[in-house]
Amino acid sequence: MIDLSNLNKEQYRAVTHINGPMLVLAGAGSGKTKVLTNRIAYLIENGVSEDNILAITFTNKASKEMREREVKILGKLAYDIQISTFHSFGLKLLKENYGVLGYSKNFNILDSDDSLTVIKKIIKELNLNPKFYNAREIKSKISSAKNELIDIDSFSKMEYDNNILLIYKKYLNKLKVNNSVDFDDLLVLSIKLFREHKDILEYYQDKYKYVLIDEYQDTNEAQYMLSKLLCQKHRNIFVVGDNDQSIYAFRGANYKNILNFEKDYKDCEVILLEENYRSTKNILDAANSVIKHNKDRKDKNLKSNNGIGEKVKYVKVETDKDECSYVSSKINELHNSGVKYEDIAILYRTNAQSRILEEEMLKNGIPYRIVGSFYFYNRKEIKDLLCYLRLINNPLDDVSLLRVINTPKRGIGDKTIDALSEKANNENISLFDAISEGKELKFKNLILEMQELAQNLTLTQIVDMVLDKSGMKEEFGDKTLDGEIRLENLEEFKSITKNYEEEYGVLNLEDFLAEISLVSDVEEYKDEDNRVSLMTIHSVKGLEFDNVFVTGMEEEIFPHYNSINEGTRNAIEEERRLCYVAITRAKKNLWLLNAKKRMLFGNVQHNLPSRFMDEIDPDYLEVINNRETLFNKVTKIVNKEEMYKKSGDDYSVGDHVKHTEFGEGIIVKIDGIIAVIAFAHPYGIKKIMKTHKNLSKV
């Protein structure tokens, strides 16, 4: 007999519900997974066969966790229960009914990259300009249409460009001819199967008489329809979710599915899980005071089971550097008092914000991990950019050349590269020197051109030039989420060059690359578990930490400028739900930080505090204003007034000068604002801005 004594009253009602539709609105930290797993066990204990139960989650990780919890309750019997994601359930349906849908047994499933390759091939076959017909953008359109259940006829009425329609039709045909389906088809074809074959639908309706769906607020149109068809006979649908935590609209999720559940199932029972077992009262009250500003929601008010706790710290600082320094100093303080690194998380709205935080962690010897993304310098686009810069500095760098000679795609294949490698080996020369013809010669000339142009550019200007001339900027400007993130990371790299220019006044590419290598090549920490977690707020969904820092609480950062520019209530409400998720990750201590000035994408931004800060009741906040305190004396603030002299000396070739870092030197060339200076060994030739504060005449 299963033990239900550890359930509260509302949890018990949900677990012991057997027949009929039920909506469980489960607030953050209210024990929804416990409810789901115990209800499955309760159904079985009350005579329902394990074969008649289907539990659907959104991620493989969640499915695995649910299975493990079920095993602890039911033992080996738990392995007979169908616990899966929507897509893995769809695959099961297709494998069992492939013939009915016109496929043979060995059909292939194309992943995202495979689908992209097919679309690129079609664009080429149609002799269309890939600059105007971006494969990623078209793939995104096709995927959205499928997930919204828009058929080809409806799509043709919506799409003004006949070529895109033609690409879509050819794409569908190629999949069919090649006995293949894409990831979206796993749901679309399952729905087609149910709609066109009533006998098959009825078979699965009778097989899965009891359906449980987790994170129902994240369902898209296809997932919603699949579950609706499956449950329309016995109507034993049990959904768990939280409309306040719907944050995946960019993936097609429709939060209104959970809001409309009572319309779809008018006799449904609704249970609110409002008792939070995660956070303190002050943290929850702060979260509640923010989310209540949303109009499209089911009203609920989380109550803490963990006492009042500390007030939420609202930290105001001058710059993003101060923000990072404050966070690292507090982490050290926490760690010195016995807190484990693994109990600390730093959250941010966009991936690009992680770069300066990573550097601060490295500088202070704080072990960290990037969750749901790559370390900044390990991201593909950043590695590619660095290779271009290294080639400009040293064209004989074979490693860098091999990485970017066909990035973005230039039609330089493996055979060409193999032939180049053989020639270089035979003649004992570099790959660059071995290039003499073909498409690879265009690449060589591109590097030589950029090398020549770089002579008269600042570091930041060099980066801009590389992004434009290499084709990287164009490649990622495809309006997809992935492209947007990668482009943001590349733009953020300019913050590194700007900071370097301002710190030293040095414009030498060689010196900059040497400095970067010290940061980017730091050995990864071996202790995998005991690290501070750095992640976007989207990545932290479902996780919790004792101590949470949320950085960048500023307008145009959070809420994001794209949502502000969209100008719709839905867009801002999605951002507010994201803020709610961020706040409710904290169990004991929460810091919300904003900066008056922030270097982002190579530009200094002066942002107002986030509107979400104004929405938090001041009773729950402890304001820490670090703009006028001793803290700024510890953390040096760099601004233009301090960094550059108001009027530069009238430097001339041959002048003796002094630099605070490199000592005395002689100006050998003047090029606009740049002075080329010969310093003594080991520094050598440096390019330095004439107006930089570190430079003066002897």
Side-chain angles (χ1 to χ4, degrees):
M1 194 148 170
I2 63 169
D3 182 14
L4 304 181
S5 61
N6 62 343
L7 302 177
N8 64 38
K9 186 174 74 173
E10 287 76 19
Q11 289 174 334
Y12 184 85
R13 281 180 59 205
V15 166
T16 56
H17 174 86
I18 294 182
N19 293 314
M22 173 170 276
L23 167 64
V24 180
L25 288 171
S30 61
K32 66 178 180 65
T33 307
K34 181 195 284 189
V35 166
L36 282 164
T37 50
N38 276 285
R39 182 176 185 254
I40 292 171
Y42 187 83
L43 288 172
I44 293 172
E45 192 172 80
N46 283 270
V48 176
S49 170
E50 59 273 15
D51 293 333
N52 294 142
I53 298 171
L54 170 65
I56 296 178
T57 66
F58 267 79
T59 65
N60 291 317
K61 182 184 175 185
S63 293
K64 186 182 177 184
E65 183 186 345
M66 188 179 290
R67 179 85 63 191
E68 287 171 351
R69 289 203 190 189
E70 213 63 71
V71 169
K72 288 179 181 177
I73 302 172
L74 296 171
K76 291 183 179 179
L77 187 65
Y79 292 106
D80 296 328
I81 303 166
Q82 181 69 37
I83 302 174
S84 62
T85 65
F86 270 106
H87 288 92
S88 59
F89 178 64
L91 177 59
K92 174 182 167 66
L93 294 178
L94 296 194
K95 281 184 174 180
E96 292 174 355
N97 300 278
Y98 57 86
V100 176
L101 292 164
Y103 293 88
S104 57
K105 187 177 182 180
N106 61 338
F107 66 88
N108 295 318
I109 303 168
L110 272 62
D111 62 19
S112 184
D113 288 341
D114 294 332
S115 296
L116 191 63
T117 300
V118 173
I119 292 169
K120 284 179 177 178
K121 190 177 178 183
I122 292 169
I123 292 169
K124 191 174 181 180
E125 289 172 356
L126 293 172
N127 291 318
L128 298 173
N129 189 337
K131 291 182 179 180
F132 294 110
Y133 293 94
N134 184 280
R136 288 183 186 275
E137 192 175 341
I138 294 170
K139 177 183 171 295
S140 180
K141 274 192 175 187
I142 292 172
S143 181
S144 294
K146 287 188 175 187
N147 282 307
E148 291 171 25
L149 300 180
I150 298 169
D151 60 29
I152 194 70
D153 291 333
S154 300
F155 186 86
S156 64
K157 294 172 185 174
M158 296 165 52
E159 181 53 60
Y160 66 91
D161 192 326
N162 286 329
N163 285 326
I164 291 177
L165 179 61
L166 184 58
I167 292 167
Y168 191 3
K169 287 180 176 178
K170 282 188 170 292
Y171 175 72
L172 293 176
N173 185 60
K174 278 188 183 289
L175 290 184
K176 193 71 176 178
V177 169
N178 294 310
N179 193 39
S180 299
V181 299
D182 63 20
F183 200 62
D184 300 316
D185 285 333
L186 298 176
L187 299 181
V188 173
L189 291 175
S190 294
I191 293 167
K192 179 181 169 70
L193 182 74
F194 283 174
R195 282 175 167 171
E196 296 180 0
H197 302 276
K198 300 300 181 187
D199 56 330
I200 294 175
L201 171 60
E202 193 166 350
Y203 167 80
Y204 286 104
Q205 287 174 337
D206 289 334
K207 179 173 176 59
Y208 299 113
K209 292 176 182 175
Y210 295 86
V211 179
L212 301 89
I213 304 174
D214 193 13
E215 305 286 8
Y216 193 70
Q217 77 280 350
D218 292 332
T219 51
N220 60 28
E221 183 64 22
Q223 291 158 342
Y224 163 78
M225 184 53 64
L226 183 62
S227 58
K228 189 176 181 180
L229 287 167
L230 193 60
C231 299
Q232 66 184 9
K233 182 177 180 180
H234 297 285
R235 305 179 75 256
N236 296 320
I237 180 171
F238 183 96
V239 304
V240 181
D242 183 5
N243 55 288
D244 291 334
Q245 295 188 72
S246 179
I247 59 175
Y248 298 120
F250 64 92
R251 294 180 187 169
N254 185 356
Y255 71 95
K256 290 188 177 180
N257 288 342
I258 196 167
L259 297 178
N260 292 332
F261 189 85
E262 292 169 86
K263 294 178 183 176
D264 293 334
Y265 304 92
K266 289 184 170 54
D267 58 336
C268 78
E269 191 174 347
V270 180
I271 291 178
L272 298 181
L273 299 186
E274 296 178 300
E275 193 166 348
N276 178 283
Y277 296 90
R278 175 186 299 157
S279 308
T280 62
K281 185 177 186 302
N282 272 319
I283 291 171
L284 285 185
D285 286 345
N288 288 332
S289 62
V290 171
I291 201 63
K292 72 180 183 183
H293 286 82
N294 274 6
K295 305 295 183 190
D296 290 333
R297 63 186 291 265
K298 293 278 187 182
D299 192 35
K300 62 182 179 303
N301 198 47
L302 288 183
K303 305 175 190 68
S304 175
N305 203 31
N306 294 308
I308 295 175
E310 298 282 333
K311 285 190 175 185
V312 174
K313 283 85 171 175
Y314 176 22
V315 185
K316 302 179 183 182
V317 297
E318 189 71 21
T319 71
D320 52 347
K321 288 185 178 180
D322 293 344
E323 181 183 68
C324 291
S325 297
Y326 182 90
V327 170
S328 66
S329 67
K330 281 297 171 184
I331 290 174
N332 282 327
E333 193 179 300
L334 288 166
H335 186 63
N336 291 335
S337 69
V339 174
K340 293 180 178 178
Y341 287 124
E342 64 191 40
D343 293 329
I344 303 170
I346 307 171
L347 309 183
Y348 36 82
R349 176 62 179 84
T350 64
N351 275 300
Q353 290 168 254
S354 77
R355 192 271 311 168
I356 191 171
L357 288 163
E358 286 185 66
E359 291 185 359
E360 184 70 21
M361 297 298 106
L362 290 168
K363 188 171 73 177
N364 287 277
I366 298 171
Y368 72 96
R369 58 181 179 142
I370 303 290
V371 180
S373 186
F374 293 103
Y375 294 82
F376 186 81
Y377 290 103
N378 284 349
R379 291 166 185 161
K380 179 185 180 302
E381 61 275 15
I382 299 300
K383 283 189 168 185
D384 291 343
L385 174 58
L386 281 169
C387 282
Y388 273 110
L389 294 176
R390 288 176 183 134
L391 276 177
I392 291 170
N393 182 60
N394 173 25
L396 307 185
D397 181 349
D398 283 357
V399 174
S400 294
L401 184 142
L402 285 171
R403 182 176 179 95
V404 298
I405 191 170
N406 199 40
T407 303
K409 300 287 187 197
R410 299 186 174 88
I412 302 173
D414 292 341
K415 287 183 179 178
T416 300
I417 292 169
D418 288 344
L420 273 178
S421 298
E422 187 177 353
K423 181 181 178 183
N425 287 332
N426 290 338
E427 298 180 19
N428 197 27
I429 57 177
S430 70
L431 288 170
F432 193 82
D433 288 336
I435 294 173
S436 60
E437 59 183 3
K439 293 176 181 176
E440 58 272 31
L441 183 59
K442 287 185 179 179
F443 173 77
K444 182 177 183 175
N445 290 334
L446 171 66
I447 300 299
L448 291 171
E449 180 193 359
M450 291 195 293
Q451 193 178 41
E452 181 67 26
L453 291 170
Q455 298 298 314
N456 300 311
L457 300 175
T458 67
L459 292 172
T460 306
Q461 289 170 338
I462 291 172
V463 172
D464 272 327
M465 173 191 68
V466 170
L467 295 181
D468 284 332
K469 289 191 171 294
S470 69
M472 292 178 73
K473 195 169 186 177
E474 185 180 340
E475 181 187 23
F476 299 126
D478 55 14
K479 300 179 183 177
T480 63
L481 180 66
D482 180 65
E484 183 182 307
I485 291 171
R486 291 183 185 276
L487 198 55
E488 281 188 352
N489 289 333
L490 289 169
E491 291 291 331
E492 176 57 16
F493 191 87
K494 292 192 291 189
S495 294
I496 303 172
T497 58
K498 279 278 183 71
N499 282 330
Y500 187 79
E501 290 168 357
E502 291 183 351
E503 189 80 22
Y504 302 107
V506 177
L507 305 178
N508 294 54
L509 185 56
E510 181 182 353
D511 291 343
F512 172 72
L513 291 171
E515 187 74 19
I516 284 293
S517 68
L518 298 177
V519 179
S520 60
D521 293 338
V522 171
E523 186 179 355
E524 290 190 7
Y525 296 97
K526 299 293 189 289
D527 186 357
E528 191 65 41
D529 295 322
N530 194 23
R531 304 184 185 195
V532 174
S533 294
L534 274 66
M535 66 187 88
T536 65
I537 301 166
H538 282 103
S539 300
V540 81
K541 177 89 178 291
L543 303 177
E544 58 185 39
F545 298 88
D546 284 351
N547 306 279
V548 173
F549 297 85
V550 184
T551 60
M553 294 296 296
E554 300 136 38
E555 290 289 298
E556 299 197 353
I557 304 292
F558 193 20
H560 196 273
Y561 63 85
N562 284 345
S563 298
I564 295 172
N565 292 340
E566 188 175 314
T568 64
R569 191 180 79 190
N570 283 346
I572 294 298
E573 291 204 350
E574 176 102 351
E575 291 288 305
R576 190 173 283 111
R577 290 193 292 270
L578 198 57
C579 182
Y580 175 82
V581 167
I583 292 172
T584 55
R585 298 312 94 191
K587 296 167 72 175
K588 296 178 180 178
N589 295 294
L590 174 66
W591 290 263
L592 304 174
L593 300 99
N594 62 28
K596 188 177 179 182
K597 293 187 289 186
R598 182 177 300 277
M599 176 81 80
L600 201 59
F601 312 138
N603 298 308
V604 175
Q605 299 182 4
H606 296 261
N607 297 322
L608 294 170
S610 170
R611 68 190 71 187
F612 304 142
M613 294 310 309
D614 291 331
E615 294 172 358
I616 299 176
D617 191 317
D619 289 345
Y620 313 130
L621 295 176
E622 176 189 345
V623 180
I624 301 170
N625 194 330
N626 270 38
R627 288 175 180 166
E628 306 295 335
T629 64
L630 179 65
F631 186 71
N632 280 339
K633 296 179 184 177
V634 178
T635 306
K636 189 176 180 182
I637 301 169
V638 176
N639 58 50
K640 288 185 178 179
E641 287 75 22
E642 294 173 335
M643 189 48 63
Y644 301 109
K645 292 174 283 191
K646 290 180 180 178
S647 61
D649 292 325
D650 187 17
Y651 292 114
S652 304
V653 173
D655 284 348
H656 287 251
V657 294
K658 186 176 181 180
H659 190 276
T660 54
E661 286 284 327
F662 312 123
E664 292 189 12
I666 299 173
I667 296 179
V668 295
K669 185 182 178 182
I670 297 287
D671 189 359
I673 65 165
I674 300 168
V676 181
I677 306 169
F679 292 99
H681 180 78
Y683 301 111
I685 301 291
K686 305 286 183 188
K687 291 181 181 179
I688 298 177
M689 285 177 278
K690 292 191 299 182
T691 54
H692 198 271
K693 69 175 181 74
N694 289 353
L695 191 67
S696 60
K697 277 188 178 181
V698 176

